[in-house]
Amino acid sequence: MALSRMERAALERLGDTLVPSGGFPEVGASDVGVASEIDRWLDGMAPGPRRAVRAMIVGFDLTPLLSRRPRLFHRLDPSARRDWVSSTAASRFRPRQEALNGLRTLVKLAYASDPRVAAAIGYDGSPLVPVDPAALAPAVTLPVRRHPDLPAEADVDVVIVGSGAGGAVAAETLARAGLSVLVLEEGGAVNREDFTGRPVDRMLALYRDHGLTFTMGSPIISLPMGRVVGGTTVVNSGTCFRTPDAVLRAWTARGLPGVAPDDMAPWFDTVEDVLGVQPVPEEVLGANGEVFRRGADALGLSGGPIPRNIRGCHGHGQCAFGCPVDAKQAMHVSYLPRAVDAGAAIFAHVRARRVWVEDGRAVGVIADVHDPDGGRRAGELRVRARATVLAAGAIYTPALLLRQRLARSSGQLGRNLVIHPGAGTTACFGEDLEAWRGTMQSYHVDERLDDGILLEATFPPPGVGYSAGALPGKVSDKELFGLYPRMASCGSIVSDGGNGRVRPLGRDGVLIGYRLSDDDARKVVEGVALAAEIYLAAGAEAVYPMLPGVTSVSSKTEVEAIRSARFKASELHLSAYHPMGTARMGADPARSVVDPWGAVWDVPGLSILDASVLPSSTHVNPQVTIMAMVARSAARLADSLT
């Protein structure tokens, strides 16, 4: 087991405090073995995340030693433990509060994932539209190679590091041009048959750091990313907005050619055609989308069903944990099969260690091969290529180059990190909604998009995210799970100013620094206030805004009080899902990392084709932007190689 006796005792006492026995649901944390379940998870985690969780447990257990009656948390009596948890939630000492937030998230996950709890609140994971297994097409299975079926050397026209939105489109474009293409992916291959069972188990298996990736700074922000063939597209919500024209015009004004709205339209058309992008159909919108639309319509707000990459969606509400019917057209069922059909090869469980450079020119990649069963390093792969493409995303692409001290002439590599921070807003209605049934991310309100605020109705499975989250105030975690069937929720996307920075840490680690600006914090609060207005207009009995010091709101007056209040950026409880901008493109080598087509200015033979190159925030979910921009750049690269 991963936990010491003292750590386990601290976790058990915290679980009993947050989710005691009795009431509804009747079972508590001890009844369902929350501590044992978390211990099991930790036993299967990589050393880094495991150490982080253990540090949170020990740190929180020690915090009462600073009080007037110093004792370890697990040695306090039940009443004192409840008081300490309450005071910690309201504490201005961030490390103490963040430790509780992190542990509370794990307790929620373990508790809500137990079949007895799920049954009590009515969650069974069934889709809104029944599935006839006999009517489904065969599961898409990619011919992916892995250890021990890998060579020690390879020689290709193009090697691509990463298989997500950027790498998959680049692979398809280049292979279709007749070039030999090899895609290297650190994660493993999956198909829909792997997307069964509990969402939490899939999260632990498919997300980088088992879903425990965070920015460090003020505040600490959850930043989950996929680690699997197909990248984060396998575990995102499938939202597919085009880049707003205003953003494209701003990029054009910076001197970027070929990115004006009319120039990009054909690239968007192609991407959307491959992905089957369409607004969420009415039959799978679900109650969560319906109540959000009802409130938006009552207020006369602009919005609509979210455009998504779907074919045959049944509304399982589990998009962020892999689609169990291949309806979501993630890269492993869309672009990567097309790339393989055109001749591309995919190697899995291969981690790029360095760009292979000779005489100042990139000539390939040197990578570590890992045993897919134990995860241990099993060998080295040296790939020589005419062109080298990095598509490992806005966190790991710059980290790889910074570790090797490449592409640094402008001083911009790893800087300008945009993440689209946002907060969840949850509402409780007078009737059962079963809002988990239907498309997970269903309806949007873009009334304030020009101001950098986008709202999206999103309802994750129980215990995950903010649908039954650790809300501030007097509502207990146990009460929240009891209210779960009557809840609706949405998340905000804030277009931020690029205040983050990526740095390599040790041999393989990455430090993601981020500071939320006061202006972006105001956008977050305004997004929460707007969401509260929408839910109240839809008939909600109470809205839980996840803001410090605010238990709930139930009137327009209380919403306006939120708008007029001053919340510190460091006090906000946020998550983010869209890292971009850390190797931005531009027309001036002194101010950008790559040229307008993704070629690294100071390393011939090397291109970056992923979210790193986006010059600024996209204002919307960036998946389609990444794919269209990469298709544009990859076509030019193909022309230069053929």
Side-chain angles (χ1 to χ4, degrees):
M1 305 301 279
L3 295 176
S4 69
R5 180 179 298 178
M6 188 177 79
E7 291 165 350
R8 188 181 178 91
L11 192 57
E12 287 175 344
R13 301 298 181 273
L14 179 60
D16 289 339
T17 305
L18 295 174
V19 194
S21 299
F24 180 80
E26 183 176 350
V27 295
S30 290
D31 300 314
V32 301
V34 161
S36 296
E37 181 72 344
I38 295 174
D39 200 356
R40 183 182 69 82
W41 294 346
L42 293 176
D43 204 38
M45 283 186 180
R50 185 190 306 130
R51 284 193 296 267
V53 173
R54 294 184 68 183
M56 284 192 293
I57 295 171
V58 172
F60 184 73
D61 198 33
L62 292 172
T63 54
L65 294 177
L66 304 175
S67 67
R68 294 179 181 178
R69 301 176 63 183
R71 297 188 72 183
L72 294 172
F73 176 80
H74 77 270
R75 291 180 177 169
L76 297 174
D77 62 57
S79 177
R81 291 199 302 267
R82 287 193 296 271
D83 290 344
W84 190 251
V85 167
S86 296
S87 65
T88 298
S91 173
R92 293 184 179 275
F93 183 53
R94 293 296 295 176
R96 174 184 167 191
Q97 191 180 86
E98 293 295 350
L100 175 61
N101 288 340
L103 295 175
R104 181 175 241 150
T105 296
L106 288 174
V107 169
K108 283 191 307 169
L109 282 170
Y111 179 74
S113 299
D114 186 87
R116 288 165 288 182
V117 177
I121 62 178
Y123 179 81
D124 62 4
S126 63
L128 187 56
V129 176
V131 177
D132 177 5
L136 292 177
V140 177
T141 302
L142 288 169
V144 174
R145 296 177 64 182
R146 61 181 196 169
H147 173 79
D149 183 32
L150 292 181
E153 298 180 350
D155 195 333
V156 294
D157 291 321
V158 186
V159 60
I160 301 172
V161 177
S163 64
V169 173
E172 190 265 354
T173 304
L174 294 161
R176 194 160 35 83
L179 298 164
S180 58
V181 176
L182 175 58
V183 179
L184 307 181
E185 168 57 48
E186 183 181 359
V190 293
N191 64 29
R192 73 170 185 237
E193 294 171 355
D194 299 301
F195 304 148
T196 59
R198 305 181 306 174
V200 64
D201 293 326
R202 286 179 261 160
M203 182 190 77
L204 294 170
L206 301 176
Y207 280 71
R208 184 172 294 279
D209 300 325
H210 315 286
L212 300 177
T213 305
F214 296 89
T215 67
M216 301 302 295
S218 180
I220 294 174
I221 301 174
S222 171
L223 187 65
M225 294 173 281
R227 182 175 173 268
V228 61
V229 173
T232 301
T233 70
V234 178
V235 292
N236 69 10
S237 294
T239 294
C240 289
F241 289 109
R242 289 193 179 196
T243 323
D245 287 354
V247 173
L248 295 176
R249 285 193 290 267
W251 293 353
T252 300
R254 292 188 180 191
L256 292 179
V259 297
D262 288 345
D263 296 323
M264 289 301 299
W267 300 110
F268 288 134
D269 289 342
T270 298
V271 167
E272 291 170 351
D273 182 62
V274 173
L275 298 182
V277 174
Q278 58 179 295
V280 174
E282 285 294 318
E283 62 267 23
V284 292
L285 190 69
N288 197 53
E290 290 171 357
V291 298
F292 204 62
R293 175 169 59 188
R294 186 169 75 211
D297 287 349
L299 297 174
L301 301 177
S302 171
I306 289 175
R308 299 185 65 245
N309 54 336
I310 50 173
R311 288 189 170 94
C313 178
H314 288 259
H316 282 81
Q318 300 179 18
C319 313
F321 311 96
C323 179
V325 293
D326 283 346
K328 187 180 73 171
Q329 299 296 291
M331 297 304 96
H332 70 299
V333 298
S334 57
Y335 269 91
L336 287 175
R338 290 165 61 97
V340 169
D341 287 346
I346 304 171
F347 289 1
H349 300 285
V350 176
R351 181 186 178 98
R353 188 170 76 246
R354 58 182 306 188
V355 176
W356 188 353
V357 178
E358 291 182 352
D359 299 324
R361 180 180 182 85
V363 296
V365 170
I366 299 172
D368 291 327
V369 175
H370 291 268
D371 181 349
D373 296 321
R376 296 181 180 275
R377 185 178 182 275
E380 180 180 273
L381 171 66
R382 300 170 72 89
V383 183
R384 183 175 286 274
R386 294 166 58 200
T388 300
V389 172
L390 298 185
I395 304 301
Y396 286 88
T397 285
L400 177 66
L401 293 172
L402 286 166
R403 188 170 279 111
Q404 202 172 340
R405 305 176 72 84
L406 292 176
R408 300 187 306 149
S409 61
S410 68
Q412 298 302 307
L413 182 65
R415 298 178 181 269
N416 311 302
L417 174 65
V418 169
I419 61 173
H420 284 172
T425 303
T426 303
C428 186
F429 288 78
E431 71 276 4
D432 283 355
L433 300 175
E434 296 187 344
W436 60 80
R437 302 182 71 234
T439 298
M440 183 173 165
Q441 200 164 78
S442 53
Y443 195 89
H444 75 282
V445 169
D446 58 4
E447 181 77 18
R448 300 290 303 279
L449 186 60
D450 290 345
D451 299 322
I453 301 168
L454 176 64
L455 300 182
E456 296 174 341
T458 308
F459 202 90
V464 181
Y466 39 77
S467 62
L471 305 185
K474 298 179 181 178
V475 181
S476 72
D477 294 77
K478 192 66 173 288
E479 289 175 294
L480 285 169
F481 282 109
L483 295 174
Y484 188 73
R486 295 161 51 197
M487 284 182 168
S489 68
C490 75
S492 62
I493 288 177
V494 164
S495 182
D496 51 326
N499 299 315
R501 185 173 181 181
V502 175
R503 295 181 175 92
L505 185 65
R507 175 182 168 84
D508 297 319
V510 175
L511 180 63
I512 310 170
Y514 187 86
R515 179 186 59 82
L516 185 72
S517 71
D518 291 340
D519 182 55
D520 291 338
R522 283 190 289 270
K523 293 180 189 176
V524 169
V525 174
E526 175 55 33
V528 170
L530 181 59
E533 281 187 305
I534 292 170
Y535 282 127
L536 292 176
E541 294 181 341
V543 179
Y544 306 103
M546 291 188 74
L547 294 172
V550 182
T551 304
S552 64
V553 297
S554 56
S555 69
K556 175 69 172 176
T557 300
E558 291 174 320
V559 173
E560 291 307 317
I562 288 176
R563 287 195 168 101
S564 60
R566 293 186 177 182
F567 297 96
K568 292 183 178 180
S570 61
E571 296 176 336
L572 299 177
H573 184 63
L574 308 176
S575 58
Y577 305 90
H578 305 149
M580 63 188 97
T582 49
R584 66 185 182 187
M585 64 169 50
D588 182 358
R591 298 171 60 85
S592 57
V593 178
V594 301
D595 73 9
W597 307 96
V600 175
W601 286 112
D602 49 357
V603 186
L606 179 64
S607 295
I608 300 176
L609 301 181
D610 62 18
S612 305
V613 305
L614 300 182
S616 67
S617 167
T618 56
H619 280 59
V620 297
N621 307 56
Q623 176 171 289
V624 165
T625 301
I626 297 165
M627 298 175 72
M629 292 289 282
V630 167
R632 161 188 171 274
S633 296
R636 186 180 179 94
L637 177 60
D639 288 343
S640 72
L641 295 172
T642 55

